[in-house]
Amino acid sequence: MTGRLWGVGLGPGDPELVTVKAARLIGAADVIAFHSARHGRSIARSVAAPYLREGQIEEALIYPLTTETTDHPGGYQGAIDDFYADCAVRLAAHLDAGRDVVVLCEGDPLFYGSYMHMHKRLAHRYVTEVVPGVTSVSGASAVLGRPLVERDEVLTVLPGTLPAPVLAERLAATDSAAVLKLGRTFAKVRDALAEAGRLDEAWYVERATTGQQRLAPLAEVDPDSVPYFSLALIPSPVNAAGPAPVRGETAPDAAGARGEVVVVGLGPAGRPWLTPEVQEALAGVDDLVGYGPYLDRVPPNPRQRRHPTDNRVEAERAAHALELAAAGSRVAVVSSGDPGVFAMASAVLEVACEPRFAHVPVRVLPGLTAAHAVASRAGAPLGHDYCVLSLSDLLKPWEIVAERISAAAKADLVLAIYNPASKSRTWQVAAARDLLLEHRVPETPVVVGRDVGGPRESMTITTLGELDPAAVDMRCLLLVGSSTTRVVERGDGGRVVFTPRRYPA
């Protein structure tokens, strides 16, 4: 049996205004889906957070764009239509597997709600129920303490995106009004209110019922301070606006999906180090490819297939990802840190340049590097010119490594040293130290960062002369200072390492 689809209204923002039924369904659902902008923060999820439970699958439906331009051949509407179609395919995969899906929606799902786009694409295929919620208009009226309409009065709800003359005409002809979708339309809406002779009646309501709520006479509001989640209200008679529904949408077509490979950097550790861009990419793929321990850092989603491999088969891993994409899958190849720094981006692009993969799109998304993570824990040792190199001689001869160490040391660059040691490579750290001491004094500061961001994180500040190679392993990254790098004891008992931005004359 297929799962059941629920469109659940959350109300205007106060979690206590979530209905009893909505709270029960949120807690019972197998899958929780919610929309957000590209920054990854979801208002709907934050409202529903008190009712979520451990172990639920979360599907983040992250808009590909909001107000920015796009090179999509169908323009803004084409990009949004493709996004909704893709989201519907993702949710359908869960429903087909028998999982119940709750799509969270601020306000009421079918009152200018984000859920409506899933409803139009999926409700005819699956058992579906919509749970209404308190609208933003009702929330705004309540916090103002003013009736919307009385007796025979007429309430008109308008989107601020309408042309100014249309807004003015509608506002002049109604008793009460609500204008939603303000944000960048605020100045136009205010002018329309003035033209209709209703400006003095209008109230501005921002984020009604939440801790960030703001109320003011609309004429007194600075247009530059107005966010999207606000509205104009003319109570029993006053004004309001709401987003226009999108028309002309088509049902999703999974067979027409185009595959791609996106190479992502997970940063040095857990979710706090993950960029919103990478989070968006991971949420949308069908297959995950990567070194097993790195894949383990991506939360499991039964809709997605995982392909863990050993750490020494980069070319094979890249070819596998490209083959999956050539067959129509959206594939993420994961790397720790930044994928372009001693990681998978180079391996994927090298294989992608073979003629057989010329048609497969490849994107590379950056991540926080281990060097920058370790540097931030120590202070600012990379504050001036620095170089990044790997001590591994698996893919290049040691003679080249040694030449580069000596050149960087002679140039007085700070060094960020990756892959300093492993079970099979135990002598390079001592050899590198001896090469550096030919150009650096023994008192040169050295930072040893181990498992930064992880549960066994440790930071050691030592000197080049006292560096113990036996204390360094593959989980470590070394930062070797220049002649100007300083270690300073601060009044709070801590020590900081930094390299001044000014170089002595």
Side-chain angles (χ1 to χ4, degrees):
M1 294 181 63
T2 59
R4 181 183 293 259
L5 175 67
W6 303 88
V8 174
L10 301 172
D14 182 351
E16 292 187 348
L17 290 176
V18 173
T19 65
V20 174
K21 182 171 185 177
R24 174 176 61 81
L25 293 172
I26 291 168
D30 302 305
V31 180
I32 301 293
F34 50 88
H35 291 82
S36 77
R38 297 189 69 182
H39 50 58
R41 299 183 299 275
S42 169
I43 292 176
R45 190 193 183 283
S46 68
V47 175
Y51 311 107
L52 300 175
R53 60 174 170 80
E54 196 74 22
Q56 287 178 301
I57 301 163
E58 296 190 10
E59 283 285 0
L61 311 178
I62 302 172
Y63 289 107
L65 68 167
T66 49
T67 59
E68 61 269 36
T69 59
T70 176
D71 57 0
H72 191 284
Y76 177 90
Q77 191 57 59
I80 291 297
D81 287 345
D82 284 354
F83 163 71
Y84 288 136
D86 174 67
C87 292
V89 170
R90 288 164 55 187
L91 299 188
H94 289 296
L95 294 165
D96 289 338
R99 291 184 281 270
D100 288 346
V101 177
V102 160
V103 181
L104 304 176
C105 185
E106 301 100 301
D108 182 273
L110 299 181
F111 183 75
Y112 297 126
S114 53
Y115 164 76
M116 70 175 71
H117 304 290
M118 297 300 97
H119 188 83
K120 288 184 282 189
R121 290 172 167 81
L122 297 173
H124 63 290
R125 297 163 53 190
Y126 303 96
V127 177
T128 302
E129 183 172 340
V130 178
V131 179
V134 178
T135 69
S136 58
V137 176
S138 297
S141 173
V143 297
L144 280 174
R146 295 169 180 253
L148 281 173
V149 279
E150 298 180 18
R151 299 173 63 88
D152 306 340
E153 292 173 343
V154 174
L155 169 66
T156 300
V157 179
L158 302 166
T161 50
L162 287 174
V166 176
L167 284 171
E169 179 182 357
R170 301 277 182 88
L171 291 168
T174 190
D175 299 307
S176 301
V179 184
L180 289 72
K181 222 175 186 181
L182 291 188
R184 302 202 306 175
T185 70
F186 178 81
K188 177 182 66 175
V189 171
R190 184 188 56 191
D191 292 343
L193 284 163
E195 183 178 345
R198 310 295 298 271
L199 183 58
D200 291 341
E201 302 173 62
W203 283 86
Y204 170 82
V205 183
E206 176 180 325
R207 297 185 172 95
T209 77
T210 73
Q212 293 78 47
Q213 174 179 294
R214 180 162 67 120
L215 314 175
L218 190 136
E220 300 175 7
V221 175
D222 177 4
D224 293 334
S225 70
V226 176
Y228 179 85
F229 288 99
S230 58
L231 59 80
L233 194 67
I234 300 175
S236 181
V238 181
N239 138 305
V246 179
R247 295 179 174 83
E249 298 154 48
T250 57
D253 180 9
R258 185 185 183 202
E260 73 160 352
V261 172
V262 54
V263 192
V264 303
L266 301 177
R271 185 182 180 90
W273 305 79
L274 198 65
T275 68
E277 185 180 32
V278 169
Q279 180 184 349
E280 175 188 355
L282 291 173
V285 299
D286 307 305
D287 293 85
L288 295 162
V289 175
Y291 178 42
Y294 298 158
L295 276 184
D296 290 342
R297 286 164 46 185
V298 181
N301 185 329
R303 176 182 60 79
Q304 298 172 328
R305 297 174 293 272
R306 303 165 81 90
H307 308 273
T309 59
D310 182 77
N311 200 29
R312 297 193 180 189
V313 291
E314 291 184 349
E316 293 90 336
R317 188 186 306 150
H320 184 206
L322 289 159
E323 288 165 357
L324 290 169
S329 286
R330 293 162 301 178
V331 184
V333 177
V334 302
S335 289
S336 182
D338 182 282
V341 180
F342 304 123
M344 281 301 299
S346 178
V348 171
L349 291 172
E350 184 174 1
V351 178
C353 287
E354 297 177 8
R356 59 179 173 143
F357 295 124
H359 65 290
V360 178
V362 177
R363 291 186 293 139
V364 179
L365 303 184
L368 179 64
T369 70
H372 293 151
V374 172
S376 70
R377 292 291 203 249
L382 304 182
H384 208 300
D385 299 340
Y386 67 94
C387 78
V388 177
L389 58 86
S390 169
L391 286 196
S392 174
D393 59 352
L394 294 176
L395 300 177
K396 62 182 182 293
W398 173 253
E399 291 74 20
I400 296 297
V401 178
E403 288 177 9
R404 291 175 178 179
I405 292 171
S406 296
K410 185 177 180 180
D412 199 22
L413 295 170
V414 175
L415 281 83
I417 299 178
Y418 282 68
N419 306 316
S422 69
K423 291 181 180 179
S424 62
R425 294 187 299 104
T426 58
W427 56 270
Q428 281 95 334
V429 174
R433 178 197 59 194
D434 294 342
L435 288 169
L436 290 166
L437 283 170
E438 294 178 7
H439 303 279
R440 302 280 168 90
V441 298
E443 294 76 25
T444 299
V446 174
V447 176
V448 182
R450 190 179 192 284
D451 194 31
V452 171
R456 297 191 178 97
E457 175 180 319
S458 66
M459 294 292 298
T460 302
I461 300 174
T462 183
T463 65
L464 193 57
E466 296 178 351
L467 175 63
D468 179 10
V472 178
D473 59 25
M474 196 63 174
R475 298 289 293 167
C476 295
L477 182 136
L478 307 183
L479 299 178
V480 180
S482 69
S483 64
T484 64
T485 303
R486 298 171 57 189
V487 179
V488 178
E489 304 280 349
R490 301 189 69 246
D492 59 2
R495 287 196 298 170
V496 294
V497 183
F498 68 95
T499 303
R501 296 185 65 194
R502 293 181 180 275
Y503 200 82

